[in-house]
Amino acid sequence: MNIPLILRTLGLVLLCEAGAMLPSLGIALYLGENDYKAFVISIFTLTIIGFTLSRTRIISSDVGYREGFIIATASWLFLALFGSLPFMISGAIPGFIDAFFETMSGFTTTGASVITDVEVLSRSILFWRSVTHWLGGMGVIVLTLALIPSLKIAGMKLFRAEVPGPAKSKVLPRVAQTSRELYKLYLIITIAEILALKLAGLNWFDSLIHTFGSVATGGFSNYNASVGAFNNPAVEYIIIFFMFICGMNFALHFHALHGNFRPLWKDPESRLYFSVTVIAVVLIAINLITVMDYQPGTAFRQSAFQVVSILTTTGFVTADYNQWPAFSHGVLFLLMLIGGCAGSTGGGIKNVRYLILFKSASRQIARLIHPKAVIPVRLGREIVPEELVESVLSFFFLYISILLVSTLIITSMGIDLLSSISAVAATLGNIGPGFGVVGPATNFAAIPAPGKLLLSLCMLVGRLEIYTVLVVFSARLWRS
Amino acid sequence: MNIPLILRTLGLVLLCEAGAMLPSLGIALYLGENDYKAFVISIFTLTIIGFTLSRTRIISSDVGYREGFIIATASWLFLALFGSLPFMISGAIPGFIDAFFETMSGFTTTGASVITDVEVLSRSILFWRSVTHWLGGMGVIVLTLALIPSLKIAGMKLFRAEVPGPAKSKVLPRVAQTSRELYKLYLIITIAEILALKLAGLNWFDSLIHTFGSVATGGFSNYNASVGAFNNPAVEYIIIFFMFICGMNFALHFHALHGNFRPLWKDPESRLYFSVTVIAVVLIAINLITVMDYQPGTAFRQSAFQVVSILTTTGFVTADYNQWPAFSHGVLFLLMLIGGCAGSTGGGIKNVRYLILFKSASRQIARLIHPKAVIPVRLGREIVPEELVESVLSFFFLYISILLVSTLIITSMGIDLLSSISAVAATLGNIGPGFGVVGPATNFAAIPAPGKLLLSLCMLVGRLEIYTVLVVFSARLWRS
């Protein structure tokens, strides 16, 4: 285990985080907000710790999967731990567990909040809260598409074709190059949404906050009523569009931006994602029209917003869907378990895994009828390796197990079964709001402190696609 | 496809069912109940149809897996369809869908009921209702242990060791011999429980009804308050014991009865089953003592009864667990998804599948750390074949998918999300009562007719371990 290299990387991560606090400090100073002190102290602390760690002497630059797993898990933990400093020091969120939950929710692009009234917070604090989303979203794309493709299931292939062969010495330059391209793409999408929201009538600050929330599929808003506060259909449709785009594989956008739309049209995962969205929007709209007597236009808009927001695991809301009929609850709960596409900022189980799960299941049926047939699982034209099929099948089992066991622990704190299961589904899937006491009109303040810690862990486990975190907790890793 | 052989077998099944109605007719005549007419008409109808079908001319006696799948699925369907005749003709359950639901619930040993007041029904009708359990339980053991071992995961191995090699010509005599041994065992357990309950103070009729309900892990009672009506701890502990025994692999009992206790002690599935039971009983008892201020004795007894009843998928109740705290709901919901052991009369996902699921998942973690290691999945000392591992992983995915999609359909009928998911979990797992409107103090009468049909299908799919029914619905089977 290359501990010095891990420490050094974490030091660099903290220095980046300190740098990311600078705009918030700038806003505090520009607007004369008292919270500038919180940022000065935080930046100072982070710089000292980060600088010290980054000076760790490196004996070897060998870095394998093992180090990768630890770096990924520890980075998100460090970001959340130290990123909570401005909240605690400013008094915006005085308690450590609450501040940690909120920051983890930010960096994992979950968007679950413990703040009962966000509208009383200073702009600099609100800005920092949303910056955590934006950084987290960028981190996840780079992590899943460039850094540890071994954990990825599809998508990476698209990039691999672009860059020179698999020679070991070229891994680092390749990662650097891919990351640069992804940063550029992420930035372009971000700027496009800021401008679109500004044109639709939002001020610059609101545009920035809601852009960070949607491109990262995060969901933090600076209004208690979330996007519903604007009461502006144009804004809603713009946000629907960008949430939807950012729930798709960024590798496909990369090609599209270079004029190659073929991978986008041909991608089986995108087709499933699109179909799920259309079917869910129609089902809920019909349900709202027939049971709740909504006007068709309103029903469609509210359904589209909530469906895309939940499926992409963003968590913005324009309606209190807790008040919707049981069938709409059922559809939304199912969407919570589906999530976005691989290689996106979205969370959840992901559409491509469902493709593999369905194909493996239908292969089982075929095998019972033709016991000797050899039937490969295919994605488009490519054959999915058997180890990957089993890995995806086990992923599904682990996801459901973690969901159910965590639910059980939350119920032990006196939270009802439906609220508990939706709280875990909403954090494990990096979505944000759930049902019942953690519904869209309320927040996670009602969950006791140990529950908030568990849900923070769920966010981390979900964000890093389970295996990364489980590997780090495995005794085997540390023995070897 | 050997259609004549399938029709002939179904004819024999119907003749057996007609025979199984004779004791109920006898009771009606002995007690002078008016419902004797319903049995006379039903037996007459079944005999004619059964006799006609059984005379189908057989061209070939070739029977493969394909025919096996169709026979299994069609047998349960026919049993439920024709078994509902006495209920409809007697007027005990006038509607076809309700009567079909109740009979399917009986033959699949589910125990979910649509009858609001069972205490007004005649003894002959109540007896027939419970006989469906007893027959269904026997059918399932023979099906999973003797007839289609290819669908089975463990357990069968134990029997295979007893009988001569796998030569094709010996399949039929082997099945017949194994079935006979199983019938004997099932009968011994049945007689033992009837006597035990009689000694504990029940009358013969109540002893019979509750024995049928527990050995088949069914759950039909002739009292609205189920086993709670007796208010007799001895009766409760006897029923707990027999439910627990019948949730275990009957192959192990077979060996134990022949003096060989080694397989029982060494069986990894039984150990998991035992551990789950103990942990769940303790957790709920503590929850009832601390939150509901129950006396420790009462808490333990009520917890043990409900835990064993749900885990074994019986569904008898002695307490309205709807009123219990959220944590107890969480534990019971988890137990609903676990179920009994393979080769038992119990339903659910089954303990042995969880062993394989856990081992496959932990192998994934190990593989990420040692990418080149070859790690087999083991049950005890035996290596589980890779196809079986994938089959179990896909089974889990299918089970959860069917659970979620069926839940969605039930919510579309205006039933709340928690009641819907528990109604599906309780029928798919062949348990009986769920939570909310289908809770232990109520029944399935509140579910609209299309919902009852869907839940009947869930019972069938769950009872025949998903694949059997899916294969029959697969176009591939009929093409080939």
Side-chain angles (χ1 to χ4, degrees), chain A residues 326 331 360 363 390 394 408 415, chain B residues 326 331 360 363 390 394 408 415:
Chain A
V331 174
S360 165
R363 170 165 77 170
E390 198 197 324
S394 285
L408 189 62
I415 309 290
Chain B
V331 174
S360 164
R363 169 165 79 168
E390 198 197 325
S394 285
L408 189 62
I415 308 290

Side-chain angles (χ1 to χ4, degrees), chain A residues 293-350:
Chain A
D293 281 329
Y294 274 41
Q295 292 297 316
T298 316
F300 174 78
R301 187 159 47 89
Q302 292 210 354
S303 168
F305 194 94
Q306 262 61 231
V307 163
V308 172
S309 176
I310 296 277
L311 182 67
T312 60
T313 75
T314 308
F316 278 142
V317 286
T318 59
D320 182 6
Y321 57 73
N322 248 350
Q323 312 299 327
W324 287 2
F327 178 66
S328 295
H329 291 168
V331 174
L332 292 176
F333 184 68
L334 223 59
L335 296 180
M336 283 187 161
L337 295 180
I338 298 176
C341 299
S344 74
T345 57
I349 292 175
K350 308 238 160 72

Side-chain angles (χ1 to χ4, degrees), chain B residues 63-65 146-149 156 160 163-179:
Chain B
V63 53
Y65 285 136
L147 274 169
I148 29 177
M156 188 51 205
R160 255 189 217 149
V163 289
K168 214 178 176 184
S169 60
K170 291 192 178 160
V171 166
L172 278 180
R174 179 166 68 81
V175 167
Q177 189 202 330
T178 311
S179 302

